[in-house]
Amino acid sequence: MDGPRPGQVHLHRPPIRRHVRCRPSGLKPGKLYSLTFSATRSCAQDEVLRVSVPPIAGDVPMQTVYSSYGADTYAWGFIAPAETVRVSFHNEGVQEDPACGPLLDAVALKELRFPMPPSPDNIVKNGGFEEGPHVFANSTSGILLPPKQQDHTSPLPGWIIESLKAIRFLDGAHFSIPVGKYAVELVAGRESAIAQILRTIPNKSYMLTFVIGDAKNGCHGNMMVQAFATNATVQVPYHSKGKGGSKSASLKFVATEKRTRITFFAAYYHVKAFDTGSLCGPVLDQVKVRPL
């Protein structure tokens, strides 16, 4: 690689660890915010980008490249500890080659609405994924939500990214969305899972409904989304031609505790028909749970 293009920062390590810092001011303490940024690895090594807003910090693994178009775009959430915070992007410097390191590009900050007001007909928070990170107007690859994100700091309010790989946040300007303006794509099979913990009444019956489809992004083949709630599960097949479309599914379950976890993941791995270097998968939208 010849080096970063104009406007990019190369977080190499010659010979000390490298930081990029900014100081957003005028934040609301206790509110949830998301950072959206473009980054990519520059070497075939296990690179990690550490993002921190002291005292909060998290690692964004960059070994997996989800798109062959260049930099992937990520989102990372945090609770603002004060009106003025220091945001740091840090190369941990664990690569074999100290000249290697992730490339960092555009950065945006957005306040998110959380906690979200309850709905009388849906106990799922943000079930339509309409509240999420900032999407760059010129970004056509979606926003990756890194793994191991908890619901109270997730850039997708209400949801836990509990898998080993990321999921992708999609917008209607660049993808086919079943309902509304936003949805998520399960891009890494069983390694790409999303979950939420609901308040439920033990021994009461509930109905989980959701919509799956494809994003009209060339992702094709026989897809399957698996959904879990307590000891109930359903497998929903969907044959995609990569040209858009959706179908509805449902799962009835009986709550066994005051807290019930619902989980979704894709059963198979998929790549785009015209780009075998780009991971993709089924779209998930309009998740609802109502008591029966």
Side-chain angles (χ1 to χ4, degrees):
M1 176 170 283
D2 295 329
R5 62 175 174 80
Q8 289 182 322
V9 175
H10 191 182
L11 300 183
H12 56 86
R13 188 172 56 96
I16 62 174
R17 296 177 180 178
R18 181 77 179 270
H19 295 261
V20 171
R21 297 189 180 98
C22 57
R23 293 181 179 270
S25 60
L27 303 186
K28 300 175 183 177
K31 290 290 186 179
L32 177 63
Y33 290 84
S34 69
L35 286 164
T36 300
F37 54 92
S38 294
T40 190
R41 62 189 178 119
S42 60
C43 303
Q45 301 181 45
D46 188 11
E47 294 186 3
V48 173
L49 180 64
R50 172 156 293 182
V51 186
S52 64
V53 179
I56 308 163
D59 291 338
V60 177
M62 307 192 70
Q63 181 63 22
T64 300
V65 178
Y66 294 85
S67 172
S68 62
Y69 298 126
D72 285 318
T73 304
Y74 295 85
W76 187 80
F78 67 93
I79 301 293
E83 290 186 1
T84 301
V85 300
R86 185 187 70 186
V87 178
S88 296
F89 297 90
H90 180 195
N91 174 13
E92 281 293 278
V94 296
Q95 296 86 2
E96 297 174 7
D97 184 351
C100 286
L103 293 168
L104 182 66
D105 206 339
V107 180
L109 181 68
K110 178 183 177 182
E111 180 183 343
L112 298 173
R113 187 166 55 102
F114 190 77
M116 308 188 76
S119 170
D121 61 343
N122 187 14
I123 63 174
V124 176
K125 298 181 288 290
N126 199 19
F129 308 107
E130 295 300 297
E131 188 73 12
H134 174 78
V135 178
F136 294 123
N138 61 349
S139 174
T140 59
S141 58
I143 309 296
L144 292 173
L145 309 180
K148 301 179 181 179
Q149 300 292 307
Q150 298 302 312
D151 50 356
H152 63 286
T153 56
S154 170
L156 189 64
W159 291 94
I160 302 168
I161 316 302
E162 62 177 8
S163 49
L164 297 175
K165 303 293 185 183
I167 68 168
R168 182 177 284 131
F169 183 68
L170 305 180
D171 67 294
H174 301 101
F175 301 92
S176 176
I177 305 298
V179 182
K181 297 181 179 180
Y182 301 98
V184 296
E185 184 183 19
L186 306 176
V187 294
R190 291 176 178 267
E191 293 184 291
S192 186
I194 186 171
Q196 186 169 140
I197 300 175
L198 309 176
R199 294 178 180 268
T200 52
I201 301 173
N203 301 317
K204 189 173 184 62
S205 296
Y206 293 84
M207 181 63 73
L208 166 65
T209 60
F210 55 96
V211 177
I212 66 170
D214 74 272
K216 198 178 179 180
N217 59 353
C219 196
H220 67 110
N222 292 318
M223 300 179 175
M224 181 176 291
V225 172
Q226 294 188 239
F228 298 85
T230 62
N231 58 354
T233 182
V234 64
Q235 296 181 332
V236 185
Y238 179 80
H239 180 71
S240 171
K241 297 182 180 179
K243 298 180 180 180
S246 63
K247 66 183 291 187
S248 299
S250 63
L251 173 65
K252 181 181 178 181
F253 67 93
V254 178
T256 58
E257 299 180 2
K258 293 182 179 179
R259 297 289 187 273
T260 299
R261 178 186 292 264
I262 58 173
T263 304
F264 300 88
F265 64 77
Y268 313 125
Y269 289 88
H270 299 275
V271 293
K272 297 180 180 180
F274 54 83
D275 182 6
T276 57
S278 293
L279 291 174
C280 61
V283 170
L284 175 67
D285 200 1
Q286 288 299 292
V287 181
K288 297 182 178 181
V289 172
R290 59 180 178 86
L292 296 177

